[in-house]
Amino acid sequence: MLAYIHELIDKNQGSISISSFMNAALYHKEYGYYMKKLPFGRDGDFITAPEISQLFGEIIAIWVMHTWEQLGKPPKFSLVELGPGKGTLIHDIIRVTKKYRDFFSSMAIHLVEISPSLQRMQKEKLKGLDINWHEDINNLPKQPTIFLANEFFDALPIDQFVYCNGKWYENRVIKQDNEVSFQCLILESRKKESCVPASVTQATNEKLFNGAVVEVCPVGVEILKKLEEKMVSYRGAALIIDYGYVSSPYKSTLQSVKQHKYVNSLENIGNSDITALVNFQALRDSLKHVDCEILTQREFLYLFGIKERTQALMENVGNEQKNRIFSECLRLTENMGTLFKAMLIRS
Ligand code: SAH
């Protein structure tokens, strides 16, 4: 993997953008992190909300049914999950919603998964269920669509721009001895492809301090715009949950996790996850024709009944079970509750 990155750097006059680096580290067909191993779960490198508790999927199922009603109960609609991971969220949603005949019979489930090995895993877990798989969002059916994405946008490649004395620099990845490292490079000295996006230069108006880092995720914005197009053309909604911020912290949020511990993003390339906090403000700013609201995960879960559901699950079980259910609920609402945001979009 490192040899491949070095080659990439050599081919690009000595440096590559962080997004090219992330693209290679996460999605390279042979060595990419998501392409070769199962990163999630207690035995994996990190654990996500659907894996923590069934409560998460159950509350999202309620949101999906509520949203379907708000859309006027379309007799045919797609439920599309982006980046389903182990397939636990969709599994829980099916379990909850199959009792509601009208709803369930109008729903066609589509999973969008880039990694062939994760697709195989999902197919195994969801065997016998009527589900369609896609590598990307380009060929989804032309009908009302409800999108779900949990911890999907944080995995998409970002670029970083750094402000200093009225000028913009880009944080890029360079070769250093036998390793790689980050280096801030002045933009003017490089080719046109490295122009600072308008969304970044606009940030200058806010009187930035020297060293302020602005992160952009062009792929995330592009995907969201496609979702918006679909929602506007055929009606629909989206629920995007991820760790992120609404006002920029103006510092690097790039992080790498291996076996539940933070590690250096430039080491263990291809064997550790690399993510960045999601810039929800930038995502919201890119939407023009739909309504959008950003809540914390905590607010969202409470709004759609996590308290009531937790109480119901805790009835008629022993103390040990009770404690487990309650602590899992707290993990979702308190530990993750405010760093994680829920972006709700409606056509
Ligand atoms: N939603 C799951 C998994 C989150 S990890 C959970 O909450 O547990 C990110 C998931 O998105 C993985 O399944 C990864 O393979 C997938 N993924 C990442 N980038 C993608 C892309 N560009 N297109 C489709 N799937 C992608």
Side-chain angles (χ1 to χ4, degrees):
M1 175 100 244
L2 191 60
Y4 173 77
I5 303 261
H6 278 177
E7 205 181 300
L8 214 59
I9 293 173
D10 288 340
K11 276 194 205 144
N12 284 279
Q13 289 109 39
S15 78
I16 54 172
S17 63
I18 293 183
S19 56
S20 311
F21 171 74
M22 284 177 79
N23 242 330
L26 299 177
Y27 302 116
H28 184 279
K29 286 216 153 38
E30 226 176 294
Y31 319 116
Y33 179 73
Y34 285 116
M35 308 307 258
K36 58 179 193 193
K37 64 177 271 191
L38 181 63
F40 329 93
R42 286 173 216 281
D43 305 329
D45 291 325
F46 57 91
I47 185 157
T48 55
E51 310 296 330
I52 290 175
S53 164
Q54 67 183 75
L55 282 161
F56 189 74
E58 290 174 351
I59 302 305
I60 291 185
I62 295 170
W63 176 83
V64 175
M65 287 195 288
H66 167 81
T67 303
W68 175 72
E69 281 185 4
Q70 282 195 325
L71 291 170
K73 303 188 180 178
K76 282 205 177 316
F77 80 99
S78 313
L79 178 65
V80 176
E81 189 187 353
L82 308 179
K86 282 172 102 173
T88 309
L89 177 61
I90 203 73
H91 191 267
D92 283 336
I93 291 174
I94 294 171
R95 177 174 54 77
V96 172
T97 58
K98 65 174 180 239
K99 300 166 213 151
Y100 302 91
R101 286 266 181 98
D102 281 359
F103 170 85
F104 199 73
S105 59
S106 40
M107 174 168 68
I109 299 178
H110 295 266
L111 301 183
V112 180
E113 175 55 67
I114 198 171
S115 153
S117 58
L118 282 173
Q119 264 203 28
R120 271 197 300 279
M121 234 222 71
Q122 293 154 11
K123 285 180 181 159
E124 183 59 34
K125 171 160 187 153
L126 304 163
K127 224 174 4 200
L129 298 168
D130 191 7
I131 295 180
N132 309 280
W133 269 267
H134 306 255
E135 257 176 53
D136 56 46
I137 53 175
N138 296 328
N139 291 309
L140 295 169
K142 298 182 167 138
Q143 60 184 12
T145 305
I146 299 180
F147 292 97
L148 296 176
N150 186 60
E151 293 209 30
F152 169 78
F153 281 82
D154 67 76
L156 301 175
I158 60 143
D159 285 313
Q160 284 184 346
F161 298 95
V162 184
Y163 179 82
C164 193
N165 293 330
K167 289 205 177 90
W168 283 99
Y169 298 73
E170 184 181 354
N171 235 352
R172 295 179 61 98
V173 177
I174 58 158
K175 250 165 75 169
Q176 201 175 47
D177 307 323
N178 259 339
E179 298 294 326
V180 286
S181 75
F182 289 124
Q183 191 170 63
C184 233
L185 297 172
I186 183 89
L187 286 166
E188 279 88 330
S189 66
R190 301 209 346 275
K191 286 193 183 151
K192 224 170 106 231
E193 48 97 14
S194 62
C195 282
V196 196
S199 59
V200 174
T201 45
Q202 276 155 16
T204 329
N205 302 337
E206 295 178 27
K207 279 226 159 46
L208 288 182
F209 54 91
N210 286 344
V213 178
V214 174
E215 295 182 332
V216 296
C217 179
V219 184
V221 168
E222 196 184 313
I223 291 176
L224 192 63
K225 281 192 173 154
K226 286 189 182 163
L227 305 194
E228 180 181 35
E229 249 173 66
K230 182 72 99 206
M231 288 187 265
V232 169
S233 305
Y234 305 102
R235 304 216 50 213
L239 172 62
I240 295 169
I241 299 187
D242 226 307
Y243 42 104
Y245 51 87
V246 178
S247 40
S248 176
Y250 292 122
K251 60 176 192 190
S252 172
T253 71
L254 215 56
Q255 66 179 39
S256 232
V257 172
K258 190 171 165 54
Q259 284 152 3
H260 305 272
K261 292 203 177 74
Y262 289 110
V263 294
N264 182 338
S265 319
L266 300 177
E267 285 167 11
N268 292 302
I269 306 168
N271 292 319
S272 62
D273 187 32
I274 307 176
T275 61
L277 294 194
V278 173
N279 184 340
F280 278 101
Q281 186 61 46
L283 289 184
R284 174 156 63 189
D285 288 347
S286 71
L287 295 169
K288 298 284 176 276
H289 311 290
V290 284
D291 294 332
C292 171
E293 191 182 4
I294 301 171
L295 305 176
T296 60
Q297 175 168 304
R298 178 178 202 278
E299 287 166 332
F300 170 78
L301 292 174
Y302 273 109
L303 196 61
F304 287 91
I306 196 164
K307 186 171 160 215
E308 294 72 12
R309 182 63 192 143
T310 304
Q311 278 164 353
L313 282 179
M314 282 166 66
E315 272 168 27
N316 308 323
V317 293
N319 275 344
E320 202 176 311
Q321 285 267 66
K322 266 198 183 89
N323 286 342
R324 182 184 56 79
I325 294 165
F326 188 59
S327 73
E328 286 170 355
C329 170
L330 290 181
R331 195 159 162 199
L332 295 176
T333 58
E334 309 309 315
N335 299 30
M336 304 172 77
T338 51
L339 175 59
F340 279 73
K341 311 284 185 295
M343 183 164 165
L344 286 77
I345 304 171
R346 272 279 310 279
S347 62

